[in-house]
Each structure stands twice: as structure tokens, then as C-alpha cells.
Amino acid sequence: MHKIGFIGVGIMGKSMVRNLMKAGFELHIFARTRAKVEDVVSEGAIFHESIKDCVEGCEAVITIVGFPQDVEEVYFDTGNILDSAKEGAYLIDMTTTSPMLAEKIWEDGNKRGFHVLDAPVTGGDTGAKAGTLSILVGGKKEDYQVCMPLFEAMGTNINYQGEAGCGQHAKLANQIMIAGTLSGVCEALTYAKAKGLDLQVLLDSVSTGAAGSRQLDTFGPKLLAGDFAPGFFMKHFIKDMKLALTGANMSGLCLDVLSQVLANYEELAAEGYGDLGTQALMKYYEETMDDGEDEASH
């Protein structure tokens, strides 16, 4: 396996393309705006004006796009992946999307002679740059094993989750954990600030104890600095939480924490913060503090 098509060269995808090229793969990429990918083109990626041209003749095609409707478009629209990839190619969707959509791609792709895997990732832009992503794979186990060299170029914690759609279910479970943990970090910092604590001293004090977490380590310093730049867009996290809540409802589950965190994020998105990073959840609590201070002054 040498010639790889890659669609979705964004915050995550660009670093993944670079790491695949470092591992010796030939990368063919498609992006709607060439100017946004000129840096990786100058580094050796081969740009194509259409998805059809990008995937033709590739032994594997990797996609990591924004939303389920984008996944539908790149796979199912006339002239796109399922119509254009060569028979027997490995089709790997690394977008976080609907498990039902992953099953649909697998069923349709399998009928056409493709090897289909759903392989969403976690680790953010930092993990993508370092090549240390966690990769959660669903599909046939033998296909997972064949694609291991691709996965190893992009990640270090690579695990087979089960049949088609199981990679997506695993990623949604991951997002449920993040939702609760990041919300807890923001609430704790809000409480500490209201009580007049030195927030840096607090972080230094609790980060190595039972309250320590990857979310605290990653976002604690950014929150103290007021840095809300996206490593992962809030609007994409909202999409993930909605998918998780849909899956929970289908199984008759009541996930109260997830529901509340989603509501908080949707309120922020409605205020125009959707293109900030997930750590901008702190703005919700800052606004709550401001409201409390205003009421106290009256």
C-alpha cells in the first residue's frame, strides 16, 4: 500500500497528511480551496481539483471532514468516492460521524468490492501534529490489520473496537467523557475564582491528585490565559454530543450530564462562539458569574 487519497485537509487532516508522507506514503489530496493547502502541497502532497481525480488508482482513501452531511457528500454524491475509487481499495472514514452512517458506507462499499473501516480519532491538533492520536477502528478485523501501517503513521494508541460502526460508538463514548470532565474543570475554576483563589496555584496543587485529567492538563493553562483558539472546534463538539445523545436515546438511556453540557454549548454557539475551541465552555460560566455580580450590585 503506497498511493493514498486524503480528503479533509483541515486542522487535524493537515498534520495527518504530513505524518503519512513522513512514513513514505504518496499522498493525493483534495480540498475545496487550494490556497488553504499550499503548505502541504509544497511539502510533497499532490493536489487534485476533484474527489474523482484524487481517489482514482489509490490503494486507500482516508476522509476526515466536518459533519455527517459532508461524509454523505464525499462518499455518495455522483462521481465521488464510491463511484470513483478502484475496486478493492480500503476506504477509511476518520470523521466523527453517525454510527448508522458508518454502517451504511460499509454495506454499500462492501457490495462494490471495497474494504471499509470507520476509524475516528481522539487527541486533538496536538496529537495529530505529534503522530500520537488514539484511533478507534470499526469494520472487519482483517481490514484493520492490513491498514495498521497507515494507522501507525498517524497514531500510537490504535485499537479494534468491533464491526462497522463500533469505531464511531467508541468515539462517542470518548466525547461523553470529555463533556463531563471539561465541564467539571470549568466549574471548578469558576468556583475558585469566585472565592478569590490563585488559579495557577490551584492548578499546580490539584493536577497531580485525584482531580487530575488530560482535560485539566491541556486546557487549564489555556483557560487561565483566556486562550480560546480552536484545537478542536466547538461546533464540531456540539455535533458529536448530538450524535451521542441520539445514540443514547435509541438505547433508552438518560445521560443528564451530556444533555446539560450540550445545552450550555448550544447557548454559546447561538451567541456566535461556535468557531472557538471546546475550552470556550468557560465563557458560559464567566457569563454566569457576571450575571451574579450584576444582581449582587443591585
Side-chain angles (χ1 to χ4, degrees):
M1 194 179 295
H2 177 66
K3 185 178 179 182
I4 311 300
F6 200 105
I7 298 163
V9 193
I11 289 178
M12 300 283 289
K14 192 170 286 190
S15 294
M16 294 160 76
V17 164
R18 288 189 169 113
N19 287 326
L20 286 162
M21 290 193 293
K22 288 176 186 176
F25 294 100
E26 179 183 295
L27 266 291
H28 295 255
I29 66 171
F30 166 79
R32 290 188 177 96
T33 306
R34 176 169 179 146
K36 293 182 178 180
V37 296
E38 284 291 0
D39 47 358
V40 289
V41 171
S42 68
E43 294 165 26
I46 301 164
F47 180 81
H48 296 271
E49 297 285 349
S50 70
I51 290 175
K52 179 179 185 295
D53 291 341
C54 178
V55 305
E56 280 184 337
C58 290
E59 289 121 327
V61 176
I62 295 171
T63 53
I64 181 164
V65 293
F67 294 88
Q69 58 265 35
D70 300 314
V71 176
E72 288 264 9
E73 177 185 335
V74 300
Y75 279 94
F76 292 103
D77 274 13
T78 302
N80 284 355
I81 295 173
L82 290 174
D83 285 346
S84 306
K86 75 172 187 176
E87 187 175 349
Y90 289 81
L91 309 182
I92 308 167
D93 184 30
M94 305 187 82
T95 315
T96 301
T97 187
S98 162
M100 291 182 290
L101 179 54
E103 292 169 10
K104 178 183 175 183
I105 297 170
W106 187 91
E107 290 170 2
D108 202 335
N110 189 56
K111 290 175 185 175
R112 301 192 196 198
F114 297 118
H115 304 275
V116 180
L117 296 168
D118 52 289
V121 300
T122 182
D125 62 328
T126 302
K129 289 175 184 176
T132 57
L133 291 169
S134 295
I135 305 177
L136 313 161
V137 188
K140 289 185 177 179
K141 192 166 189 178
E142 54 266 36
D143 294 340
Y144 155 80
Q145 292 167 336
V146 169
C147 292
M148 187 59 73
L150 290 173
F151 296 140
E152 288 177 339
M154 298 179 283
T156 52
N157 186 12
I158 304 154
N159 293 283
Y160 177 69
Q161 305 294 329
E163 61 188 16
C166 287
Q168 297 296 344
H169 283 303
K171 177 61 186 290
L172 296 181
N174 177 84
Q175 302 304 73
I176 293 168
M177 294 181 202
I178 289 175
T181 306
L182 184 52
S183 179
V185 169
C186 292
E187 287 193 354
L189 292 177
T190 301
Y191 177 86
K193 184 177 180 180
K195 299 303 179 182
L197 296 180
D198 183 314
L199 298 186
Q200 186 60 61
V201 172
L202 176 68
L203 287 186
D204 294 342
S205 302
V206 305
S207 61
T208 59
S213 70
R214 182 66 62 85
Q215 296 301 303
L216 180 63
D217 292 344
T218 300
F219 293 121
K222 290 185 177 183
L223 291 170
L224 266 56
D227 177 3
F228 299 127
F232 184 62
F233 286 116
M234 181 191 296
K235 62 186 179 184
H236 290 163
F237 194 40
I238 289 171
K239 173 259 299 182
D240 295 351
M241 287 188 285
K242 286 181 176 179
L243 289 169
L245 201 57
T246 297
N249 291 337
M250 290 173 67
S251 295
L253 302 175
C254 182
L255 303 185
D256 292 335
V257 172
L258 176 64
S259 297
Q260 183 59 57
V261 177
L262 173 57
N264 295 349
Y265 269 108
E266 287 185 313
E267 184 174 323
L268 290 173
E271 294 175 16
Y273 296 128
D275 285 325
L276 296 182
T278 54
Q279 71 274 24
L281 177 62
M282 191 67 185
K283 285 186 171 292
Y284 174 84
Y285 295 100
E286 289 175 345
E287 291 174 3
T288 301
M289 281 190 70
D290 291 343
D291 290 344
E293 290 170 357
D294 289 344
E295 289 173 9
S297 66
H298 284 80

